[in-house]
Amino acid sequence: MTTKIKIIINDKQIEVAEGSSIVDAAVCAGVIIPTLCFHKDLCVAGNCRVCVVEIAGQKRLSAACATPCEEGMEILTNSLKVRNARKQIIELLLSEHNADCTLCYKNGNCELQKLASDYKIMTQDFIQLAPLRKYQIDHYSPSMIKDDSKCIRCQRCVRTCAEIQGVSALTAAYKGDRMKIATFFEKPMNDVVCTNCGQCINHCPTGALVERNYIEEVWDALANKDKFVIVQTAPAVRVGLGEELGFEPGTRVTGKMVAALKRLGFDAVMDTDFSADLTIMEEGSELLMRLKKVLVDHDPNVKLPLATSCSPAWIKYIEHMYPDYLDHLSTCKSPQQMFGALVKTYYAKHFNLNPENIVSVSIMPCTAKKFEANRPEMHDSGYRDVDYVLTTRELAIMIKQAGIDFLKLDDRSFDQIMGASTGAGVIFGATGGVMEAALRTAYELVTGREVPFENLNIMPVRGMEGVREASILIENPLPDWSFLEGVELKCAVAHGLVNAKSLMDSIVSGESQYHFIEIMACPGGCLGGGGQPIPTNPEIRRKRALAIYAEDQGMPLRKSHQNPEILKIYSEFLTEPLSEVSHHLLHTHYTPRERF
Amino acid sequence: MTPGYDLKRVDFIFQTESDWKEILQKSLSRPPAELINELISSELKGRGGAGFPTGLKWKLAADELSPIKYIICNADEGEPGTFKDREILSKVPMKVLTAMAVCGFVIGSLEAYIYLRGEYFFLKPALNKAIQEFQATCHDLNFDFRIKLFMGAGAYICGEETALFESMEGKRGEPRNKPPYPTSFGYLGKPTVINNVETLAHTYTIFKYGAKRFYDLGVQYSRGSKLFSVSGDSPKPGIYELELGMSLLDFVHDFGDGDTKAVQVGGASGFLVPQKRFAETTIGFQGKLTGISLPTGGSMMLFNSSRSMYNVLDNYLEFFREESCGQCTPCRVGCQQLLNGIKAVKRGEKTGQYLDKLLRLTETMQYTAKCGLGQSVANSFSSIVENFREEMIY
């Protein structure tokens, strides 16, 4: 039981749990205290000082985010003293900030801009500091752009990179007026340990960290009559896009998204869920093959646990942090890259298109996908497999630019022949989804029976726990898989790289023995990805996850191996999982990297 | 000399330390509660500048239940114009070590650190030698007390106690949010007593002579003596132990060069007192006696009429602009605005009225900055601008 204490906020007496911060307590009193450095995903920093409040009996003001309530505390959130101080702090922030709002990518979704608007900062008396500095914009990364002139030093990105991702590619450097957020030795973002996950972008209150956008490039392609522009959409996009366009978090907008893409002028609108199903076929087969090689052949070169390879930020992370463990990664490309490789081969052949004229675009909840599409390995079709990667946010921008009234759109369906999918493909968008989808297929492949979970819902791998474990006992397998009789298949799921680290460390130390692990770099999986709508917080991610599982539940087919287009592609093009064609187009290799 | 002139020199701190073993042994044989009471009744307040009652600090830490506690001697003496701690550690290190061990005995801690200012690297060999000798004696007394030296790296902010902990923990030296306070959540999250070098040296005096000898010095709210680092336009700069509660006028009579225009009390983060207010200003802690009473870490900088107060302020602000950790908005941006602001006024780019805006800014900094650094920039800024406004403009 938590003890309750009585406090007074602006004359209103309320009871709150002992230890709650003044910011949280104010919410109970119906008072919103403005914040900037505070974020629900992160530890309290208390450094922007925008949330200062007056406590009776104290001369100094206190940061509401960092001050715990005490019995009998009398708090004023809007006294003259508070207002004057708060306004002056906002003025200070603006004086240091390159406030060219109309030229800023985050114009309209900037927390500092909102504060300036709320407090009607109409004059700038302080000396403008930003022009006095020589700021250089870092646009070396294929995924993101870092503009220090927009930075307000709230250190949300620093805390995100450390607490959520355990990477610390960004840290505070120097002191005093020179204090800034920097990489190791101020190297460019593409040259450091940064995984391109984009979580810093999602948590940045201003335009200091934004995705590198390819909106104009895609408009150009759409306008070019010689080009056949194909678009694929990732599972998590359909549960996030609505937030940018007037829907509540957790609204599924699959049909409207397809309709909007068609209106934008894409020649074919297809589904990454299709290649997610394909990934399951390949990766499930790879898992079973590895199990056989380890358990039957005792091949020392084959490594377990098998780790999923769908999350490009996770891939870059393991390349930096555990370069000796790259053999554990599935060789399967991510669904985006499988799709890309097939578009300019299988699809082109099927519709008799010249792959040279195909522009392959993907809509992803992710910024690391931009990096992934740019990797030198990703040219197996003979061309660049995926030409442009847009985030959910960029798609929303295009829809707004095109003047599409998204709310009024009628639902449309994906095009053929790479547009059909199953519920197993959809749940790739949530943490634990790849694991669940793989188990649904692999278990059935081995035993001929459905996974022993009600409604195919493998609940132990779902949820928002940082690391989750599950095991399935294999009994009475089909004759081909008799070596798996009695084997307890042990699995683990982690999301957020800080959790990936703890899982990996337990594997490296030998403390844990798993057969299969799923790792997603972002909190909540792709639905919490770095390319998803801003803001993000645990509540929003929970709603998006519910939407993902509702989408799965509503699908007529929920197992990847039932997808008719998957059966078709194997019979017409790939022959079978892990075939030579598959290996050429759908599998890849990895690169060890330095740890800074 | 004016009538009533009475500046009392005291000689406790630099008195011989040869009796340290005796004092240590004697103190370790007394009940901890009695030692705390001795300190409380002496009314010793922290000599680093903030003036927190030392006895209460020890008591708070002693009352904590944690099996692990730490003691830290703050020797990150960085306040401009302060150089007393260096002298204590060079001349009477055993007093400081003894006081730390007694503190350990009182609060139940066996692990102590001296956080030594990076620029005092030259003190390291001698201090380590002293620590070795001291620990051997502790060992002989069956008191397994360990003291380690931790070198700072030159950041002023690391003298702030919580930034100091962060620095010791291998992190960036940035102040923490308070509460929690060090006595419950300090170094490595454990209850920690962190005392200034001089404070510890004074406890030695108190344990040696008893609280009364100390209490009898000074005035109400400001008991005992204090070391002063005298610098600037004085014919006899140096370190002096003086009784608290003295009037600034008396001080200037003794240490000034006859042409003293103003005295900066308490370093760059302290106050500038102009000549017209010398008589009404006393040097001590809170509680007004006659006129203003100024707390101080012991820095006394004298300025004569040849000095431009604009240059003085410019110098302080440049210092703060650079030494702010950069973490919180009011301090990081505020210091830049103050410095750029007075420059702009001086150059005629902003009118004299802009100084009023800057004064309001220092008020905000005082109310909202995260730690003492940003909060105290207002002290020197407002006292200089208010008293020497014309020097700022023309």
Side-chain angles (χ1 to χ4, degrees), chain A residues 116-148:
Chain A
S117 160
D118 288 352
Y119 284 81
K120 292 293 166 247
I121 311 290
M122 310 294 285
T123 53
Q124 185 50 275
D125 294 340
F126 285 129
I127 293 162
Q128 291 301 296
L129 300 170
L132 307 177
R133 306 258 177 80
K134 288 192 186 86
Y135 286 115
Q136 271 201 317
I137 300 177
D138 178 351
H139 32 52
Y140 289 96
S141 163
S143 300
M144 64 183 78
I145 293 168
K146 176 170 174 278
D147 182 353
D148 292 340

Side-chain angles (χ1 to χ4, degrees), chain A residues 44-49 52 59-63 66-68 70 81 84-86 88-89 91-93 95-96 124-129 132-133 152-153 155 172-179, chain B residues 154-157 172 174 177-179 320-334 336-337 340-341 344 350 354 357-358 360-371 375:
Chain A
V44 167
N47 58 26
C48 76
R49 315 309 278 182
V52 286
K59 188 181 166 211
R60 292 202 180 98
L61 304 176
S62 299
T67 310
E70 283 168 26
K81 190 172 170 183
N84 285 342
R86 187 175 289 156
Q88 210 157 34
I89 288 167
E91 280 183 58
L92 286 177
L93 284 168
S95 76
E96 197 189 28
Q124 185 50 275
D125 294 340
F126 285 129
I127 293 162
Q128 291 301 296
L129 300 170
L132 307 177
R133 306 258 177 80
I152 57 166
R153 281 83 165 159
Q155 300 196 41
Y174 307 108
K175 62 182 162 57
D177 56 323
R178 295 171 65 223
M179 185 267 202
Chain B
Y156 171 71
I157 189 59
R172 193 178 150 82
E174 286 183 344
N177 292 301
K178 294 185 211 172
F320 285 128
R321 181 189 61 172
E322 188 174 323
E323 291 298 344
S324 161
C325 75
Q327 180 188 191
C328 81
T329 313
C331 181
R332 180 188 67 248
V333 193
Q336 296 176 65
Q337 288 297 351
N340 287 337
K350 295 263 186 195
Y354 190 64
K357 180 162 176 95
L358 296 180
R360 286 196 298 277
L361 169 61
T362 58
E363 204 173 302
T364 296
M365 290 169 71
Q366 193 182 3
Y367 291 151
T368 64
K370 191 167 179 175
C371 80
Q375 289 160 7

Side-chain angles (χ1 to χ4, degrees), chain B residues 115-131:
Chain B
Y115 188 98
L116 189 62
R117 182 183 183 198
E119 289 85 340
Y120 290 174
F121 189 74
F122 63 94
L123 288 176
K124 197 179 167 183
L127 263 180
N128 269 331
K129 207 171 144 238
I131 289 170

Side-chain angles (χ1 to χ4, degrees), chain A residues 5 7 16-25 44 53 55 58 62-75, chain B residues 177-181:
Chain A
I5 53 169
I7 58 163
V16 294
E18 193 175 13
S20 4
S21 73
I22 295 177
V23 161
D24 289 339
V44 167
V53 294
I55 298 173
Q58 295 185 9
S62 299
C65 66
T67 310
C69 295
E70 283 168 26
E71 178 69 45
M73 214 179 229
E74 289 175 44
I75 300 155
Chain B
N177 292 301
K178 294 185 211 172
Y181 295 97

Side-chain angles (χ1 to χ4, degrees), chain A residues 320-502:
Chain A
H320 282 293
M321 303 296 191
Y322 301 91
D324 298 339
Y325 284 77
L326 298 182
D327 288 345
H328 287 258
L329 284 175
S330 163
T331 58
C332 290
K333 288 181 183 172
S334 72
Q336 164 180 276
Q337 292 305 139
M338 285 197 181
F339 198 104
L342 291 173
V343 157
K344 295 188 180 180
T345 53
Y346 170 65
Y347 186 92
K349 202 168 130 195
H350 189 272
F351 287 101
N352 205 14
L353 295 165
N354 181 355
E356 214 168 289
N357 292 331
I358 293 179
V359 177
S360 161
V361 178
S362 71
I363 315 291
M364 293 286 142
C366 182
T367 48
K369 291 281 176 198
K370 292 172 187 275
F371 167 80
E372 184 187 39
N374 201 36
R375 289 179 77 117
E377 307 91 87
M378 300 302 175
H379 291 72
D380 288 334
S381 62
Y383 305 88
R384 183 170 150 142
D385 294 338
V386 175
D387 293 296
Y388 302 114
V389 179
L390 303 181
T391 59
T392 310
R393 296 188 291 263
E394 290 166 75
L395 173 59
I397 292 169
M398 289 184 73
I399 292 172
K400 286 179 196 165
Q401 288 178 351
I404 295 170
D405 188 345
F406 193 73
L407 294 163
K408 289 188 186 150
L409 285 175
D410 289 328
D411 287 358
R412 297 282 301 272
S413 316
F414 289 106
D415 294 322
Q416 307 297 315
I417 55 171
M418 288 158 64
S421 65
T422 69
V426 172
I427 56 174
F428 264 59
T431 167
V434 178
M435 175 64 65
E436 182 166 347
L439 290 178
R440 284 183 193 171
T441 288
Y443 187 86
E444 200 166 318
L445 216 62
V446 168
T447 64
R449 304 184 303 273
E450 285 195 337
V451 278
F453 289 91
E454 195 184 337
N455 249 334
L456 297 175
N457 296 336
I458 307 179
M459 298 312 282
V461 299
R462 296 189 184 181
M464 290 289 172
E465 265 314 285
V467 178
R468 305 184 294 283
E469 289 179 323
S471 60
I472 295 187
L473 184 66
I474 298 177
E475 287 169 307
N476 301 321
L478 297 171
D480 279 356
W481 306 100
S482 56
F483 67 92
L484 287 172
E485 171 67 47
V487 169
E488 193 183 17
L489 196 64
K490 288 186 183 163
C491 310
V493 172
H495 62 124
L497 291 171
V498 78
N499 296 315
K501 180 180 189 319
S502 68

Side-chain angles (χ1 to χ4, degrees), chain B residues 186-204:
Chain B
Y187 175 52
L188 298 176
K190 302 293 177 201
T192 305
V193 165
I194 174 161
N195 280 142
N196 173 259
V197 175
E198 187 191 342
T199 312
L200 289 166
H202 281 298
T203 67
Y204 186 92

